[in-house]
Structures are given as structure tokens and as C-alpha cells.
Amino acid sequence: MTILPGEIVYLELGGKQSVLAALEAMKGGRELFLVMEKEHSENISEEHCHTVGCVCLIRQVMRSNGKNARIMIEGLRRGRLKKIINNEKLLSCRVTEYLKEDEDAPEADVVEAMCRNLSMSLTDYLWQQPKLSRAIMKKIKGIKDAGTLLDWVGASLPIESLKKQEILEAVRITDRYEAVMKILESETGLAKIRADLINSLQEKMDHNQRQYVLEEQLKLIRAELGEDTTDTEADKYLHTLEELNASGEVKEKIRKEIEKFKNIHTLSSESGVMQSYIETLLRMPWDNMSEENKSLENASAVLERDHYGLDKVKERILEFLAVRNLTEKGQSPIICLIGPPGTGKTSIAKSLAEALGRKYIRISLGGVRDEAEIRGHRKTYVGAMPGTIAMGLEHAGVKNPLMLLDEIDKLGQEYRGATASALLEVLDSEQNKAFRDHYIEIPIDLSEVLFIATANSDMDIPRPLYDRMEVIELSGYTENEKFHIAREHLIAKQLEKNGLNKKQLIFSDAALKTMINLYTREAGVRALERRIGEVCRKCAKAIYEGKTTNIRLTNRNIREYLGKEKYQPEETAGKNEVGVVRGLAWTAVGGVTLEIEVNIMPGKGTLLVTGKIGDVMKESARAGLTYIRSISDKLGIAPNYYKSHDIHIHIPEGATPKDGPSAGVTMVTAMVSALTGRPARSDVAMTGEVTLRGRVLPIGGLKEKILAAKNARIKTVLVPEKNRGDVEEISDEIKDGVEIRFMKEVQEILDITLCKPNVSSSGQGRKQTEAVKHGHQKCQS
């Protein structure tokens, strides 16, 4: 930068030598010599600087910490640089002559003319710079000296440092006057050009505004005359409407909305709302349909290709397709696939869409809590949009897609309204011909949509919604089914995903079965697929690093890839025990076996049930104890025995919640075994609800329970007589190797399960048998 005499500026000094120079000057006359560099250099010399600079006075040091400083300086007079003295600490210089402007000064009349001319030129310039005019004009009036005036004008103009340097080097008044006037005229010209550009732009904007006002007035005039008003966006919408495949009623409604849009002010917020609404209506597939493939052979081939087993599910789907083909249109039933996670519910829907040649749309309902997410928001709300059903149709582009309603059992409910209730109209074939979305406001025909819902459990689906669907249950896979699914589908999928081929990684049958039994425990095959993927990743790493070219996975090396076994095989107890009975339970991920344990101890007749169980199971235990007390004579138990002994029922895996009535017969059998000292057979499992009179009532989830018993190597399973029909529907593959016996009364279960007392088999059984006999003999005496 360049400093002119009379100019007051603030400087930030960052160089160490500059800071020390300023501090050194403060010790003496407080004078600094400021000269502009021609080019920057670390080792500065006279060649790097201009010859003329300004001797300045340090007015104030505002901040100094040794590394940087902020000072206020005032330019005093011009000086010519003679020599720079550069040492490691600070910069100093010799200024051999001070330049005075009064040498060869012009006459007084010439100076007066210069000042007036300068004042007039400056006034012209300031007319173009209204923000600077007041301060500069006020300052000019107080300056009488021509040299000072010229320096001050040069310092006030927003010009480059090189131009200011020209003013600084013009020592004589006439030379300085010429330099300042030249710069002032140039800046005035540039300011005028800039002002002309701004005026031109303003005129153009005023013209556009005027044109807009005239167009609006023209619209109003034409509206009064009954003539049609034209608009570019509206014309586009009308052209699209003409090509829209929709009924006359729908087109008329959209046409009315376009007419409303024409007469709305473009800058109005309602204009954007109307525009979004019209564009949504024009994108809806009102009468667009995709051609459906009606071949049952093709559908069967696709389902067989993508899924192993599930014969009844495939048969039911093919029956549904046959009915649709015979009735041409008819009412499409709503299919609901219910089964544990990983059993192929979602993939079946995707395969069915491919088989039919329909567009596939998946809508996840898990956690949906607002009815408006199904029906949409009214367009008067900010950010309104259609519901998920209407948006699904819009994305599909046709009115007959296959729409999957995933996780329908996990719908939420809040104060804004029940989401499940909003689905009643969607899934009712009598009502969904005219489904009304709050945003669309025009009835939407959903009768051509093929809805398929999925759920893990039917207990969480509201009854009115459940009644509108045809339920197809998908139970868990057997070990054999998992083996074939892995061999035919999962391995190939994971090999491709991880960049391997069949020759690089080979799974032996034994390793695959070990993976199924000891590294996964589930009804579906998701965890099995993850284990296969884990093996593929580790093999891919080894092959990429060049350690091997191919790998064969066997039982010998499976631990190298999957680590220690995650689960131990479920096996029956090695011997029959007193008070320990196997039960069967259903969970959301399949069936499991439960060992129910009962201990008898001296006490006050308390029934204690532990294992994180629910109220229904506790009530079953109380009902079972009441039944046992009612047949105490048959069991040889003294009536007063219960008053002096406590009964503790425990169901292991205490961290897992358990509930339901199906463990009733198991708890009764375990209590009778403990009370009588008769060991229970370890190869028998049972399920069923018990009543106060000892009747055995039917239960659900029988297929999963029998599958769990088979996996646990149970030989005999006792089930209620009223479940005989359910057992007949279970495939022979699941029932093979398991003897299923049907029970009407609890006594039948006791006769099959309990052995004769064997006092040598258990110390606990011996003590309990003696106690029961002693109580009975005491009662007889």
C-alpha cells in the first residue's frame, strides 16, 4: 500500500522486523519511513522498493505482544530512499533528502484555478458516489493549501496503490495536479458507465414489471368478456390432460383444477400448491394397465425356481390364479402370508409379481402410526402429499400392480387415528373400487391391485382387518428343507455376491448340516445365509491374498471360518427324572422345547411359579393344581399334605418371556411326578391346555411344536384330540420318526408319561414318595 502526507491509517504489523522497527521508533522521534514494495522478497533491498516514500508519525500503538502490533500513523512529508539497513532484528533506512513541494511553485492565480477546477471535477465524481459526497465535500471546505488538497483527494479516492504511488512521486504541484486530475477523470468516467448500466437494468426490470401488470389486467378483461385466458404452464397441463388415459369424470375434475390454477397469481403461495396437486393428478395411472401373464405353468415354474418346498403355499397361490383366469376379473382376495422371519414371505410376493408380469410395489407398514400415511394429508396443509397407497400406484405407473403390505402386524396406533382402520377400506374388495385419498380427492379404483400382506403372528392383527384377508401360514423349515434351500439357492447367491465361483469354494454336505444345526437356530434361513456369507468373505480374502486357489469346507475346518459352535444340539435327558417334564412352545421364530421342573419342599402350602411367565400361564398352573388336589385319592396323596408343603414350578431360560395356556398339561404332569415320586419319561413331550376337570383343550402352532420335538429327538408327542385335523395337514416329512398320540383327558397323559416309582433312581423321588405315603398312612389311622 501507499501512504500520502496528511493521511491517517491503521496498520497491522506482522513481521518481526517491522514490529521491532515500530517499537524502536517509539523510543525516539516516533517516525517511520513507509515505502511500497515493487516485489516481495525475504531479504529486502533498495531494488525491491520504490524510491519515494512517506515519513510518518506513529500516533498510537494500540496492541503489541512482540510478534505483531496494531499502530495508528499519520503521513508527514515525502522522502527519497537512499539506503536500507537490514539486520536480523529490525529494518532501518537512510533518507538523504526530504522533498518539498514549494520548490518551483506556480503563481497564486494558477493555484486558485487548479483548486477550483479540482473542486468541480470532484463534485462531478461525487454525484456518481452519493455515499461519499457528504464527508468529502465537508472536508474540502476546510483545506486552503493546494498541495494538501491534492494529497487529500488522492487519499480519499478508491484507487489502486500504484496510482496513489504516482501521486506520491509527483512532488511539484503542477505534476501532482495533472496526476490527480487524470485519475479523477478516469474514475468519474467509470462511475458514469456503471450508473448507466444500473439505470439500463432498472429500466428493463421496470419494463418487465409493467408487462406483468398489463398481462394481469388483460386476463381480467378477458375474464369479464368470457374469453379464455392463456398461460404457458396451464397449456402444458391441458395438453397432458388430453393424452391422459382416464375416465371423463376424472378428466373433468382435473380440468377444473387447471382452470383454477390459471386465475391464481403466479407469486401466490397457493400457486405452488395447486401446481404440485395438478402434476400429481396427471401422474396417477387412472386407467393404465399392464398386460398380465395368465399361464399357470409359467407361474408354477417361477415359484419352483425361486423357492424350495412350501408346496401348500404354492398350491394355494396357483388356485387363486386359476380362479382369476376363469372369472376374467372377479374380486381379488387379499392374501396374508403369516410365518416366522426368514421363511420367504416377501420373496414369494416378488416371485408372484414376476410370474404374473405385474409391477411390484412394496409398502412397509412396520411402525406406521398415523392414518394420514395411508390416506394422505389434505392439500390445505403445508407439505401435504398423497398416502402410501396412492404413491405406490404413482410409482408403478399402472393401476394393476402387485402391492406388498409388509409387516402388517406391526402397525402402530396413536391419538391421530388407528392406522389399521384406514386399511379396512383398502383391503375390502367391496369398497376399494372407490378408495378416497385425502390428497387426491378423486376416487381411486384399487380393485385391480393384487394385495399381498405379510405378518409374523396373527395375534397382533386387528380382528376386522384379519377377517378381510385369506391367511396362508408358512411354518418353519425342517433341517432337510434348510439343507436343500442352502444348496440350491443360498450358496449360489452368496458366491456371486462375494465374487467367487463354484470351483473356488465347495461346501460339503456334512459341513452344511453342521452349520444348520450348531451355528443357527431359527425357523427361517436368514441366519444360515449370513453364516454362508461369512464363510464366503473369509475365503475371498484368502484367495485374493494368494494363500490358496480353492477351499473345501468340511467339519474339520469349519471352526476356522465360523469359530466355536453357537448352539449345542437339543437332546433328551439321559434318564427319567422325577418332577422334570418336556413341554412344547411356540414363538415368533418357530417352535421350542421347554423343560418344566417342579420341586416339593416343607412349607405352608404356597404355589410358586418362576421363569418370567405371564398371567395366563400362572392361571394354568393354579388350575392344574386344583385338578391334582381333586384326584388326590387316586394318586395316593393325603388331603392335608398340601398344607404343609410348598410347590415350586420353574421354567428355565428365565430371561425369555413366556405365556399361554398350552403348557397346562406339562405343568400338571410335572407336579404329579414330583408329588408321587414317579419319574417322567424323558423321550415324551406334550402340549395342551388343561381344565379344572382334567380335560385337554386344543392349542395352536402345532406344526412348529412338532418340528421342535423332532429336532430335539423326542420319540413321542402328546397332543389334544381336537387337534387331530391340524396334525393331518402337517407334511409327512415333519411327522416322520415321531409318534403322535392324541389325548382327551390328563389321566391318559399321566398313564403314558409317568413310570412306576423307582426309589433308587432319585434321592428326591425316594424322600417325596416316603413323605406322601407317611401322610396317607397317618390320614388312614
Side-chain angles (χ1 to χ4, degrees), residues 224-237:
E224 290 293 329
L225 296 175
E227 298 179 1
D228 184 26
T229 58
T230 58
D231 187 82
T232 306
E233 288 295 329
D235 287 341
K236 291 180 181 178
Y237 294 150

Side-chain angles (χ1 to χ4, degrees), residues 353-393:
E354 180 186 348
L356 296 176
R358 293 194 177 206
K359 294 291 185 67
Y360 172 76
I361 298 295
R362 176 182 173 272
I363 297 176
S364 178
L365 298 177
V368 174
R369 297 179 177 273
D370 192 354
E371 176 200 6
E373 295 193 43
I374 305 297
R375 289 186 178 274
H377 302 79
R378 300 193 184 279
K379 64 175 182 292
T380 53
Y381 291 104
V382 176
M385 58 191 299
T388 53
I389 303 297
M391 289 180 66
L393 288 176

Side-chain angles (χ1 to χ4, degrees), residues 519 534 538 553 556-564:
Y519 289 91
E534 185 178 347
K538 292 185 178 181
L553 188 71
R556 294 182 178 180
N557 61 358
I558 191 170
R559 281 198 174 192
E560 299 177 14
Y561 298 94
L562 294 178
K564 188 180 178 182

Side-chain angles (χ1 to χ4, degrees), residues 628-743:
I628 293 172
R629 294 182 66 177
S630 70
I631 61 169
S632 293
D633 291 341
K634 295 181 181 179
L635 297 175
I637 302 173
N640 62 349
Y641 178 80
Y642 303 99
K643 296 181 180 180
S644 59
H645 290 81
D646 291 343
I647 302 176
H648 186 172
I649 303 175
H650 178 67
I651 304 173
E653 297 185 14
T656 305
K658 311 168 191 72
D659 203 3
S662 63
V665 295
T666 313
M667 290 188 288
V668 168
T669 306
M671 284 190 285
V672 172
S673 173
L675 288 169
T676 61
R678 298 171 61 185
R681 290 175 56 186
S682 61
D683 61 345
V684 174
M686 62 196 70
T687 181
E689 181 180 353
V690 67
T691 68
L692 291 175
R693 300 303 176 91
R695 290 183 292 116
V696 181
L697 300 184
I699 43 80
L702 200 55
K703 179 181 178 181
E704 288 80 4
K705 292 178 180 179
I706 294 177
L707 182 58
K710 181 177 181 179
N711 292 336
R713 296 173 177 81
I714 299 294
K715 296 180 179 179
T716 305
V717 176
L718 309 181
V719 301
E721 171 66 32
K722 294 183 179 180
N723 284 113
R724 185 183 291 270
D726 298 327
V727 174
E728 291 176 355
E729 293 182 357
I730 299 174
S731 65
D732 293 336
E733 183 182 354
I734 296 177
K735 294 186 291 185
D736 185 34
V738 179
E739 180 187 6
I740 301 175
R741 303 181 67 172
F742 301 96
M743 304 290 117

Side-chain angles (χ1 to χ4, degrees), residues 263-436:
N263 298 316
I264 293 177
H265 197 289
T266 309
L267 301 179
S268 171
S269 60
E270 190 179 355
S271 175
V273 175
M274 287 295 298
Q275 194 169 358
S276 298
Y277 177 60
I278 294 171
E279 289 174 357
T280 301
L281 294 182
L282 293 174
R283 286 196 301 265
M284 291 295 294
W286 299 104
D287 287 336
N288 291 339
M289 294 183 65
S290 59
E291 185 176 352
E292 185 173 335
N293 188 341
K294 297 184 178 181
S295 171
L296 292 185
E297 292 79 6
N298 177 66
S300 178
V302 172
L303 292 174
E304 289 292 341
R305 181 197 68 193
D306 296 341
H307 298 87
Y308 178 84
L310 304 176
D311 295 332
K312 290 192 176 181
V313 177
K314 296 174 183 175
E315 182 181 356
R316 177 65 189 89
I317 291 175
L318 293 176
E319 291 172 358
F320 153 73
L321 296 178
V323 171
R324 277 185 59 86
N325 292 344
L326 288 175
T327 57
E328 291 298 329
K329 184 176 180 182
Q331 296 178 351
S332 299
I334 313 301
I335 298 176
C336 182
L337 304 175
I338 297 180
T343 51
K345 301 182 294 296
T346 304
S347 60
I348 284 178
K350 191 178 294 185
S351 298
L352 183 57
E354 180 186 348
L356 296 176
R358 293 194 177 206
K359 294 291 185 67
Y360 172 76
I361 298 295
R362 176 182 173 272
I363 297 176
S364 178
L365 298 177
V368 174
R369 297 179 177 273
D370 192 354
E371 176 200 6
E373 295 193 43
I374 305 297
R375 289 186 178 274
H377 302 79
R378 300 193 184 279
K379 64 175 182 292
T380 53
Y381 291 104
V382 176
M385 58 191 299
T388 53
I389 303 297
M391 289 180 66
L393 288 176
E394 179 187 336
H395 293 156
V398 292
K399 63 179 292 186
N400 63 334
L402 185 148
M403 193 169 290
L404 176 67
L405 304 178
D406 210 6
E407 309 292 354
I408 199 171
D409 58 330
K410 296 176 178 60
L411 286 169
Q413 183 172 346
E414 283 193 355
Y415 65 91
R416 290 186 288 269
T419 314
S421 300
L423 284 173
L424 294 178
E425 182 184 359
V426 175
L427 300 183
D428 192 332
S429 56
E430 297 291 339
Q431 302 178 37
N432 63 11
K433 293 180 181 178
F435 171 71
R436 283 191 174 271

Side-chain angles (χ1 to χ4, degrees), residues 19 84 132 235 358 378 479 490 499-500 576 649 669 735 737:
V19 173
I84 292 178
L132 301 175
D235 287 341
R358 293 194 177 206
R378 300 193 184 279
E479 178 184 336
L490 302 183
L500 300 174
N576 303 334
I649 303 175
T669 306
K735 294 186 291 185

Side-chain angles (χ1 to χ4, degrees), residues 503-569:
K503 295 181 180 180
Q504 290 176 314
L505 177 59
I506 301 172
F507 289 81
S508 68
D509 292 349
L512 206 53
K513 291 178 180 178
T514 300
M515 199 181 299
I516 293 170
N517 293 322
L518 302 183
Y519 289 91
T520 63
R521 182 157 295 175
E522 56 174 348
V525 291
R526 283 182 182 167
L528 177 59
E529 184 176 3
R530 285 195 291 270
R531 298 287 84 79
I532 294 173
E534 185 178 347
V535 173
C536 290
R537 288 193 300 273
K538 292 185 178 181
C539 292
K541 178 175 178 290
I543 292 173
Y544 182 77
E545 291 176 347
K547 295 179 180 179
T548 183
T549 56
N550 56 66
I551 295 173
R552 177 178 175 82
L553 188 71
T554 63
N555 282 339
R556 294 182 178 180
N557 61 358
I558 191 170
R559 281 198 174 192
E560 299 177 14
Y561 298 94
L562 294 178
K564 188 180 178 182
E565 294 83 357
K566 303 293 188 298
Y567 305 97
Q568 295 300 321

